[in-house]
Amino acid sequence: EVQLVESGGDFVQPGRSLRLSCAASGFTFDDYAMHWVRQAPGKGLEWVSGVRWDSVTIGYADSVKGRFTISRDNAKNSLFLQMNSLRIDDTALYYCAKDIGYGDPHYGLDVWGQGTTVTVSS
Amino acid sequence: QSALTQPASVSGSPGQSITISCTGTSSDIGSRYNYVSWYQQHPGKAPKLIIYGVSSRPSGVSNRFSGSKSGNAASLIISGLQAEDEAEYYCSSYSGRNTGIFGTGTKVTVL
C-alpha cells in the first residue's frame, strides 16, 4: 500500500524551530519529487516547498523562503521540513505529498499523508 | 505569489453539469508548462487528486471529472453531479522557479 506518514508537529512559541518528517512506503521513493503543502485552520491549501527526486532542484513559497528548508533521505525513504523562525501565521496542518511525475515534478500530487499539526503561539 | 482565483461557491442539482473556473497569469496557468491540477477535499480529509496535466485523470477517478485550459485560465467540469461530489475543490499550477501555487478553493454544493 502506498502511504505517507507525517510526524513532528507540535505546539511552539514564535521564533522557535521545528522539524517535520514524512515516512514513505509502498512506492520507489527516489523516483519521484516530493512536496509539503499546508492548510491553516478553516483556510485553503498553500504549497510550501518541493524537492526533485535527486534534490537537485528545490523550491519554496515566498512566505517561507529563508526560514524553511526541505530535504530528503532516499536511503531512508524520508522527507523532511526544517522550520526556523516560526511565526503565528505558520500555524497549519502540514501535508507531505508525492508528485505524480516520474523523475521531474509535474506538480500533480497523487498521494497525500494525513498531515501533522503545527501550532505557533505565545 | 498570489493564489489562483476561483469562485467561492458553485452549486447544481443532481445530474447537472457544473464548471469551476481557475484564473491565473502567464507565469503559471498560461505558461508553456501544462502542469495544472485539480483536487477534491471533503471535510476533515486530505485532498484527492482528480485531474493532472490539465486534463488527465489518475487511475480510479470518475470520467465525470474533466479539465481544460485556455490562456491564463483553467476549468474543471463535473458532469452528472452526484451527492458525493459535494466538497471543496482546488486548482493548482506550476508557477515557475520550481514553485507551485494553489487556487482559493471552491465549495461545491449539490442542491
Side-chain angles (χ1 to χ4, degrees):
Chain A
E1 179 192 5
V2 178
Q3 193 172 14
L4 297 171
V5 179
E6 303 93 336
S7 61
D10 205 348
F11 184 105
V12 295
Q13 293 180 321
R16 303 300 290 264
S17 298
L18 208 55
R19 180 177 167 89
L20 305 184
S21 299
C22 171
S25 59
F27 65 99
T28 305
F29 183 72
D30 56 9
D31 277 345
Y32 298 93
M34 296 293 295
H35 304 261
W36 288 99
V37 176
R38 69 184 181 184
Q39 188 167 33
K43 302 297 184 182
L45 301 174
E46 180 186 13
W47 181 88
V48 172
S49 182
V51 56
R52 210 175 79 153
W53 68 274
D54 57 0
S55 301
V56 168
T57 55
I58 286 175
Y60 298 98
D62 286 345
S63 57
V64 306
K65 195 175 297 181
R67 300 187 300 121
F68 290 11
T69 302
I70 191 172
S71 62
R72 62 189 295 162
D73 184 338
N74 288 343
K76 296 183 177 179
N77 292 344
S78 295
L79 178 72
F80 306 99
L81 187 67
Q82 178 67 43
M83 304 186 295
N84 298 333
S85 302
L86 281 162
R87 308 189 304 215
I88 291 176
D89 61 1
D90 292 320
T91 295
L93 181 63
Y94 283 73
Y95 291 105
C96 164
K98 168 189 167 292
D99 199 288
I100 198 170
Y102 182 85
D104 287 325
H106 287 201
Y107 294 84
L109 310 184
D110 65 337
V111 181
W112 294 65
Q114 286 305 301
T116 187
T117 300
V118 173
T119 303
V120 185
S121 176
S122 54
Chain B
Q1 287 181 337
S2 297
L4 305 173
T5 301
Q6 299 180 232
S9 62
V10 173
S11 62
S13 299
Q16 285 187 330
S17 293
I18 61 171
T19 299
I20 302 172
S21 62
C22 174
T23 303
T25 69
S26 58
S27 297
D28 38 64
I29 293 176
S31 74
R32 62 186 179 94
Y33 298 98
N34 286 322
Y35 294 157
V36 177
S37 302
W38 290 89
Y39 301 85
Q40 176 192 65
Q41 187 179 34
H42 288 107
K45 300 294 187 181
K48 174 187 176 183
L49 179 68
I50 55 174
I51 295 289
Y52 69 98
V54 176
S55 59
S56 297
R57 280 186 308 276
S59 174
V61 172
S62 171
N63 59 8
R64 298 187 298 104
F65 295 95
S66 61
S68 64
K69 174 184 123 171
S70 178
N72 296 340
S75 296
L76 173 71
I77 298 174
I78 308 176
S79 58
L81 199 61
Q82 298 179 1
E84 67 206 50
D85 299 332
E86 188 161 293
E88 193 82 19
Y89 290 81
Y90 294 92
C91 61
S92 176
S93 174
Y94 176 60
S95 188
R97 294 176 292 116
N98 303 312
T99 64
I101 190 169
F102 279 95
T104 51
T106 298
K107 169 66 176 173
V108 168
T109 300
V110 181
L111 302 171

